Amino acid sequence: MAIEQTLILIKPDGLIKSLTGNVISRLSEAKLTIMGAKVVRVSRDLAEKHYEHLREKPFFEELLNYIMGDVHKTYRVLALVYQGEDAITKIRDVVGETDPEKANPVSIRGAYGRVTRAGVFENVVHASSSPEDAEKEIKLWFMPDEIVEDLYPIKKITLNNVKQTVWA
Ligand code: UDP
Ligand code: MG
């Protein structure tokens, strides 16, 4: 048993379908601690970095359009950081398999996801799949000051005479 962190994103389909409350209720079943939360307008640069591992896939452009909000015309994502024992597995269990048609119907993706005609899995939420991915993703989506504890090493820098705290 290890204390882990995980990044959850409620994707634009989740927001447009008013699933935010339901998803957060379901996530709370994992009995973890919330460490950060914010609404983000996803830039192309952020989307490309987040889905770097899928760059070569035929659905990559569609996937970027989906996470940026172009598909649902709602340009926002709710980003959450949770921490606790075995957080990654616990959350992935509640979230369900990547393909909503294969996901357990009682999981979030099984209950609310769908597969589009373009073949993209609109699966409502993202959840980190390993501690390494979680660290990379949390550092990408959040600045240290936006999380209630320093989950990873930080450093203080001065940019244009303004002091800032960034991930070390
Ligand atoms: N995805 C898709 N088709 C695929 C694989 C992935 O549309 O065959 C999308 C889906 O929205 C998924 C995201 O790309 O959530 C990231 O894929 P990954 O393999 O990392 O799955 P996840 O970790 O989200 O379960
Ligand atoms: Mg993944």
Side-chain angles (χ1 to χ4, degrees):
M1 293 278 224
I3 299 290
E4 294 172 343
Q5 293 77 35
T6 182
L7 178 85
I8 321 288
L9 303 174
I10 305 183
K11 301 183 187 180
D13 53 327
L15 293 182
I16 204 139
K17 292 174 179 173
S18 300
L19 293 172
T20 311
N22 302 45
V23 169
I24 292 174
S25 300
R26 295 298 313 278
L27 295 175
S28 68
E29 289 166 19
K31 306 265 180 261
L32 302 169
T33 306
I34 191 160
M35 306 300 281
K38 64 172 176 177
V39 182
V40 182
R41 174 155 186 169
V42 181
S43 66
R44 189 178 171 98
D45 182 57
L46 176 58
E48 283 181 359
K49 285 184 175 135
H50 180 75
Y51 284 131
E52 214 169 32
H53 62 295
L54 299 170
R55 193 175 284 276
E56 304 304 323
K57 300 283 184 193
F59 55 82
F60 186 62
E61 274 303 315
E62 282 299 322
L63 184 58
L64 297 186
N65 290 337
Y66 167 33
I67 198 71
M68 290 191 295
D70 289 325
V71 172
H72 298 89
K73 304 289 175 231
T74 183
Y75 301 95
R76 50 185 60 68
V77 153
L78 183 63
L80 307 161
V81 177
Y82 282 87
Q83 174 173 273
E85 259 182 29
D86 290 329
I88 289 169
T89 312
K90 283 182 185 159
I91 292 286
R92 293 280 299 194
D93 282 350
V94 176
V95 162
E97 274 188 55
T98 308
D99 178 347
E101 287 182 359
K102 292 198 184 129
N104 187 327
V106 306
S107 68
I108 295 169
R109 286 169 166 178
Y112 302 122
R114 69 177 198 127
V115 181
T116 69
R117 270 202 229 161
V120 172
F121 302 152
E122 284 185 5
N123 52 14
V124 186
V125 287
H126 165 82
S128 307
S129 47
S130 68
E132 295 70 34
D133 282 356
E135 176 172 350
K136 184 197 132 203
E137 293 169 359
I138 291 167
K139 288 178 173 177
L140 181 62
W141 287 82
F142 285 84
M143 296 290 284
D145 290 346
E146 296 172 322
I147 300 179
V148 294
E149 287 171 28
D150 293 333
L151 301 179
Y152 308 107
I154 53 155
K155 62 184 178 187
K156 308 268 182 188
I157 61 164
T158 304
L159 247 184
N160 300 326
N161 278 333
V162 182
K163 282 204 170 71
Q164 273 198 343
T165 303
V166 296
W167 300 116

